[in-house]
Amino acid sequence: MVLLGQRPRFAGDATVSDDVVRRSLIHAIMADEPLFTFYGAALTGKKPQHKVSVPAGRMLLLKQAALASDAKGKEASVLSVSVGSADKFVLCHLSPGKVEQWTIDLGFNAEDEVSFHLSGSAPVHLTGFYEDEDDEE
């Protein structure tokens, strides 16, 4: 949530201009809905695929993949993504005790048929947020 007088910070710690903050606040007040909405999903051995339904007029920004806190063993978990009928593309390999989280910066819109896939035994949590498509100006 952005409060008046606060400047939002985004990836890379770049400060957003006053004009963008002003337009975003006006849009949020007029739309009566949040500009940014949390997104989270968990993929496990029992549920190794997750299909995402992005609301119309919104974008999903995937920001991080992390092993669940109860991840055990040494086997790597591989997170992949497919869009539409395209092949799977590997996003990251996560291994307990070695690489337990990975920063991602991918955006998907409502027209994309996005599915995340997991191979490996350790559960993986995905986090990010939805934002209005118009905010990309």
Side-chain angles (χ1 to χ4, degrees):
M1 179 163 99
V2 177
L3 301 176
L4 291 175
Q6 290 183 335
R7 299 176 128 229
R9 307 283 289 182
F10 294 95
D13 287 334
T15 301
V16 177
S17 72
D18 289 335
D19 185 48
V20 171
V21 171
R22 205 172 295 112
R23 282 185 289 144
S24 296
L25 289 172
I26 290 169
H27 178 78
I29 292 165
M30 291 177 71
D32 196 30
E33 65 180 55
L35 289 176
F36 307 103
T37 307
F38 177 79
Y39 166 80
L43 285 85
T44 66
K46 293 180 181 178
K47 186 184 169 206
Q49 183 174 346
H50 174 70
K51 185 174 182 179
V52 179
S53 181
V54 179
R58 307 280 279 170
M59 284 190 69
L60 168 63
L61 296 171
L62 184 66
K63 301 305 279 183
Q64 181 171 287
L67 290 176
S69 59
D70 60 351
K72 299 174 185 167
K74 297 191 186 279
E75 179 185 355
S77 288
V78 179
L79 176 67
S80 302
V81 65
S82 60
V83 179
S85 60
D87 292 338
K88 293 181 197 175
F89 294 95
V90 173
L91 296 177
C92 60
H93 287 242
L94 301 172
S95 299
K98 293 181 182 177
V99 179
E100 296 188 339
Q101 61 186 12
W102 195 257
T103 301
I104 300 171
D105 195 13
L106 288 176
F108 304 97
N109 63 35
E111 291 81 34
D112 294 333
E113 295 177 19
V114 180
S115 292
F116 296 105
H117 310 271
L118 177 68
S119 62
S121 59
V124 172
H125 292 184
L126 304 176
T127 56
F129 57 92
Y130 293 106
E131 74 173 2
D132 291 346
E133 282 188 309
D134 295 19
D135 292 343
E136 294 283 320
E137 297 175 14

